[in-house]
Structures are given as structure tokens and as C-alpha cells.
Amino acid sequence: MRISPALVVIAFAFIFAGCSKEDTAAESALYGTWVKGNQAGDTLRFMRKNNKYIMLQNESFNAGMPHYTEKEYRFRNGQLSIKLYAPISQEFYPIDSFSWTQVGEEFTIQGIQLFMFMSSTMTYFTYRKL
């Protein structure tokens, strides 16, 4: 029995399209603006930019001196990971403290895992989707 080359191409196209939709759906669960308050540094934005999944955040708590950073992120199986651009590693760093309190609407995260300059390991933030 002979399989048509067109049939093989169509089958691979369906497999490839199915995989990319799954990944996009995972990362897009965080798309949008998330807030924890109304002060400087209280907003996170998740978006797709230049074919990368980007988290934009103000790393300064001083409204007069904002410092915005963009970090590449990955969100798979409910696990948030952020790519660190340190000279020693280009790997994604897992944010173990990320936890949905209301899926798609609200999550908590340990402050030190989001703001690397913090010293308190007991501070957790709750972000709500706008």
C-alpha cells in the first residue's frame, strides 16, 4: 500500500500545529496586566514580544525613579519560570512559590523570587488580573 506524500505532509502539519497551540495556551494564561496594589512596582505585565514570552516589571519601588525590566518567561503545567540573564546561566529559573489562588484571576508569589534584591523570605505578594 502506498501513502501519498501529500497525506504525510498534512499529518505533520496537524501534529506541528497541535503542539504550538498547546504551548501558546500555557503561556497566554498569564497574558495581560496583573496588580498587587497602586504603588510603584505593583504591576506585572505578561505579553508576547519578538516571538518571546515577556514579563515586564518595574524593579523600583520608587515612583520617581522607575526601572523597568523585561524577562523572558515560561509557564508550563502551572509552573512559572523566568530566564535569568546572568553570565553564568541562560537557563530558566523556576519560581517554586507561584500558586494560583483563583486560576486565571489571582496568584501568589514569594517576593524574593520576583524581586531578587529583597532580603525577606517571608514576604508573599498576591496579584490580581485587571
Side-chain angles (χ1 to χ4, degrees):
M1 187 165 162
R2 194 166 172 205
I3 297 176
S4 167
L7 185 60
V8 172
V9 170
I10 291 171
F12 278 112
F14 278 118
I15 291 169
F16 181 74
C19 292
S20 65
K21 284 180 186 174
E22 181 181 319
D23 291 346
T24 300
E27 269 72 18
S28 67
L30 291 172
Y31 281 3
T33 302
W34 298 79
V35 296
K36 68 177 176 73
N38 59 3
Q39 305 298 316
D42 287 351
T43 304
L44 298 176
R45 289 186 179 88
F46 292 89
M47 67 192 93
R48 186 163 170 105
K49 182 178 177 183
N50 299 327
N51 286 330
K52 294 181 180 181
Y53 300 101
I54 301 294
M55 180 184 74
L56 175 73
Q57 72 183 103
N58 181 1
E59 300 239 7
S60 171
F61 291 129
N62 183 340
M65 295 178 57
H67 177 69
Y68 291 95
T69 60
E70 293 183 356
K71 296 177 184 163
E72 191 175 351
Y73 78 93
R74 185 169 55 196
F75 188 69
R76 307 267 167 79
N77 300 320
Q79 174 73 50
L80 176 64
S81 300
I82 296 174
K83 194 170 194 177
L84 298 178
Y85 294 101
I88 58 172
S89 176
Q90 290 282 325
E91 298 298 316
F92 283 89
Y93 172 72
I95 306 296
D96 301 331
S97 65
F98 177 91
S99 177
W100 288 116
T101 52
Q102 294 178 19
V103 176
E105 298 296 322
E106 183 178 275
F107 65 84
T108 59
I109 193 166
Q110 187 179 25
I112 198 167
Q113 288 193 304
L114 191 58
F115 300 101
M116 303 298 178
F117 59 83
M118 290 186 73
S119 59
S120 173
T121 59
M122 301 302 292
T123 302
Y124 282 79
F125 298 125
T126 300
Y127 284 89
R128 291 172 190 80
K129 190 167 192 174
L130 285 184

